[in-house]
Amino acid sequence: MSVRMRSLFVARIGISRRLSSGNGGGLAGQRGKAQCAPQLPACDIEPQKYQGRSQQEHLSLRRSHLSPFTLSYYHSPLLLHHGYMQWLWDADGRRYLDFYGGIVTVIVGHCHPKVTAAAQQQLGHLWHTSNVYMHPGIGPYMEKLCSTLPPPLQVVFLVNSGSEANDLAMLLARIHTGNHSIITLRGSYHGGTQATMGLTSISSWKFNVAAASGCAPVMCPDVYRGLWGGSKCRDSPVQTTRSCNCHSDTGECQAREAYLSEFRELLLSAAPLRLAGFIAEPIQGVNGVVQYPRGFLSEAANIVRARGGLYISDEVQTGFGRLGSHFWGFQSLGVTPDIITTAKGIANGFPMGAVVTTPDIAACMGEALSFNTFGGGPLACAIGSAVLQVIDEEGLMQNAEARGTDLMLQLSDLRKEFEVVGDVRGKGLMVGLELVRSKESREPLPPTDMRRIWEDCKEMGLLLGIGGIFGQTFRLKPPMCISQEDVDFAVAVLRLALQRHTLRKSGEV
């Protein structure tokens, strides 16, 4: 493994020196601020005292019996034993504000009372029966799920994960069209199975084996780090500071046209005349909340459809109201996909996923037997139904839009304060904070610096994700139940962590 790849791998799994809790001193206006960590917002839940094995015993068991490459966040991995809504507690009783949501999965809150009650009630009746039999929950659940989608997206395949959903979407596209090649975007993450590894276009997630053939990646239309783009290009409350000659009032976007030209060039040079499909996340998740120019995906979908292919929208991270303005990410793009895939938030952390498509496309699966032992089981459907009910009754999509917009606006103030904050982007509660050596160079902040800031946030009670090809972006994707106080606390923690980073680099600490 090269030095660069090793450093990126280490950055992703969070192996780093533990940051001391000592205070820094000195730059003008920052010495005093850097001496007092923000106070966690109040919480009226008192978890039971943890009485299990020690953290060291669990670490020993993990090293002995889990894969040696199982990801472990932080130098001193957290031993979590209790969760409630946006809060997590470790074995020592320390409370954390979860701004990563179990990797963008806990969408309505940890152990949400209504979801928990639905699961407990179903457990008392029927845990499991394969879908070769009927049970009372599956039909109403699929009806409720389809009510969030426009016709003709009304046929559901229930599965167990996002990787499995994308694997099935590939199969559907290829059988239905009779074609093989699928176009994907650089920087995309669509799963880690051998098949979906062909769709995933981030090198650190690829093994040196033959992944699924017929997957061609095209340039990612990243308006901050890519070749084209600027301050008028993306659908976000906060724009990049790069200048551009686009005209958002008329819909003219030079960056979009340049990236579409590159898209067409790829099809001319590296793809056959007939395509199976094009898969894209409405906003890239693992790559650090990367957004494209307005209108890019709808035009790219039209280009692929002209070659016989289907448009697949990977909604694993963007679905279920997380983006605030719409229930599904594609609904703000001006194009309806032929297939959507989803997982993660669909059941708030219970293993579940889905593929939704049209009756015409679904019919191709009649060519052979298709079966999923656990997909659409009674427990999964009960939990999935409760999640949909909570999102609606508690106005969580609207909360995601309000809290997410304020979060991004506050983070844009950090961009003005700190040279290392290069970009703030996102929509709703899918937010990226990209750190750089300098605004002018846009060179990614080194992994060691990212990890120290990340560890510092954890020590102050804030849990974040890290993403981006270079591990240079903090991913802020909390449960949609967070409050304004939570947003203010998260920004205060990030401000202090960035101040400490600035002091370290100046030699003041």
Side-chain angles (χ1 to χ4, degrees):
M1 183 183 289
S2 69
V3 173
R4 175 181 174 272
M5 284 303 299
R6 186 180 294 112
S7 67
L8 291 179
F9 178 75
V10 169
R12 289 187 182 283
I13 64 175
I15 298 174
S16 67
R17 290 187 300 159
R18 189 174 190 177
L19 202 81
S20 71
S21 58
N23 298 320
L27 292 180
Q30 293 189 2
R31 182 189 295 272
K33 295 178 185 177
Q35 296 197 3
C36 184
Q39 193 74 27
L40 275 166
C43 174
D44 58 4
I45 297 297
E46 186 66 33
Q48 289 185 342
K49 185 176 180 180
Y50 176 72
Q51 296 180 333
R53 297 189 182 189
S54 69
Q55 182 188 43
Q56 288 305 312
E57 288 179 283
H58 280 287
L59 281 172
S60 177
L61 290 170
R62 190 177 179 94
R63 291 165 183 152
S64 298
H65 301 297
L66 267 71
S67 161
F69 294 101
T70 299
L71 302 184
S72 294
Y73 267 16
Y74 303 111
H75 171 72
S76 179
L78 289 171
L79 177 56
L80 299 172
H81 88 105
H82 191 88
Y84 181 77
M85 303 306 280
Q86 63 267 51
W87 302 107
L88 289 168
W89 286 263
D90 68 15
D92 295 325
R94 289 193 62 184
R95 179 163 57 101
Y96 301 88
L97 177 60
D98 183 7
F99 251 56
Y100 200 25
I103 313 184
V104 209
T105 299
V106 179
I107 202 162
V108 301
H110 294 279
C111 299
H112 189 289
K114 292 181 181 178
V115 179
T116 300
Q120 290 172 337
Q121 182 180 30
Q122 187 61 47
L123 282 169
H125 294 291
L126 183 67
W127 284 30
H128 169 74
T129 178
S130 292
N131 56 27
V132 293
Y133 304 108
M134 291 191 292
H135 63 82
I138 189 168
Y141 172 67
M142 291 192 293
E143 181 181 46
K144 190 181 296 186
L145 180 64
C146 288
S147 71
T148 68
L149 289 158
L153 293 171
Q154 296 293 296
V155 181
V156 184
F157 296 83
L158 292 173
V159 295
N160 304 292
S161 71
S163 292
E164 188 179 355
N166 284 329
D167 191 306
L168 177 56
M170 294 172 71
L171 181 64
L172 279 166
R174 284 169 168 163
I175 296 174
H176 177 74
T177 65
N179 304 323
H180 186 66
S181 291
I182 298 178
I183 305 302
T184 184
L185 297 176
R186 295 175 194 166
S188 62
Y189 179 85
H190 298 292
T193 65
Q194 190 165 5
T196 56
M197 202 186 306
L199 299 177
T200 293
S201 190
I202 302 175
S203 64
S204 53
W205 291 95
K206 287 180 173 289
F207 290 88
N208 189 24
V209 297
S213 63
C215 300
V218 68
M219 179 185 292
C220 176
D222 181 351
V223 301
Y224 174 69
R225 188 164 290 284
L227 292 179
W228 307 285
S231 60
K232 301 174 184 177
C233 296
R234 65 191 181 200
D235 179 18
S236 175
V238 178
Q239 299 290 335
T240 176
T241 56
R242 293 175 72 185
S243 61
C244 66
N245 296 317
C246 304
H247 300 283
S248 56
D249 54 337
T250 63
E252 179 187 349
C253 181
Q254 294 179 359
R256 177 184 65 229
E257 297 309 314
Y259 285 116
L260 287 170
S261 177
E262 180 69 20
F263 191 87
R264 293 185 183 94
E265 179 68 22
L266 172 92
L267 298 189
L268 288 173
S269 61
L273 292 176
R274 303 292 294 175
L275 299 172
F278 167 51
I279 186 169
E281 306 157 86
I283 298 175
Q284 287 188 342
V286 173
N287 196 24
V289 195
V290 170
Q291 292 180 278
Y292 327 119
R294 292 184 184 90
F296 172 82
L297 282 183
S298 61
E299 289 298 319
N302 290 336
I303 292 169
V304 169
R305 283 169 169 164
R307 286 179 172 242
L310 305 180
Y311 168 43
I312 305 166
S313 183
D314 181 338
E315 301 274 353
V316 171
Q317 295 193 32
T318 55
F320 294 89
R322 177 164 291 281
L323 302 189
S325 63
H326 298 82
F327 199 86
W328 300 101
F330 74 82
Q331 291 173 317
S332 65
L333 303 177
V335 60
T336 299
D338 302 292
I339 302 172
I340 75 161
T341 60
T342 189
K344 289 190 179 288
I346 190 173
N348 204 48
F350 188 85
M352 189 177 185
V355 178
V356 188
T357 189
T358 69
D360 182 48
I361 295 171
C364 72
M365 291 298 286
E367 293 184 14
L369 288 176
S370 176
F371 177 70
N372 189 300
T373 300
F374 298 105
L379 191 55
C381 290
I383 293 172
S385 291
V387 168
L388 290 173
Q389 181 181 354
V390 168
I391 291 172
D392 180 47
E393 292 180 350
E394 300 185 4
L396 295 186
M397 187 170 79
Q398 294 77 12
N399 191 61
E401 182 170 33
R403 301 288 81 76
T405 297
D406 186 76
L407 173 62
M408 281 179 272
L409 292 175
Q410 289 199 51
L411 292 176
S412 70
D413 290 337
L414 297 187
R415 184 172 62 182
K416 298 172 186 175
E417 293 179 41
F418 298 97
E419 179 66 16
V420 295
V421 179
D423 196 30
V424 176
R425 54 182 177 260
K427 192 171 182 183
L429 285 175
M430 188 168 182
V431 179
L433 182 71
E434 182 162 346
L435 303 190
V436 293
R437 286 185 184 269
S438 73
K439 287 181 170 64
E440 182 179 1
S441 72
R442 283 178 286 151
E443 182 182 351
L445 196 68
T448 52
D449 291 339
M450 285 293 298
R451 292 195 305 272
R452 293 197 72 180
I453 297 169
W454 186 50
E455 292 270 0
D456 205 359
C457 290
K458 174 248 195 179
E459 291 300 317
M460 289 187 276
L462 179 66
L463 303 183
L464 303 170
I466 289 183
I469 290 177
F470 305 101
Q472 81 282 16
T473 303
F474 287 127
R475 299 166 65 193
L476 291 76
K477 304 171 183 180
M480 298 195 305
C481 59
I482 62 166
S483 68
Q484 186 61 48
E485 290 76 16
D486 300 329
V487 169
D488 295 341
F489 170 77
V491 175
V493 167
L494 282 162
R495 176 176 281 111
L496 181 51
L498 291 168
Q499 287 171 353
R500 291 177 176 175
H501 168 77
T502 303
L503 293 169
R504 283 194 295 268
K505 290 302 177 182
S506 71
E508 293 287 327
V509 293

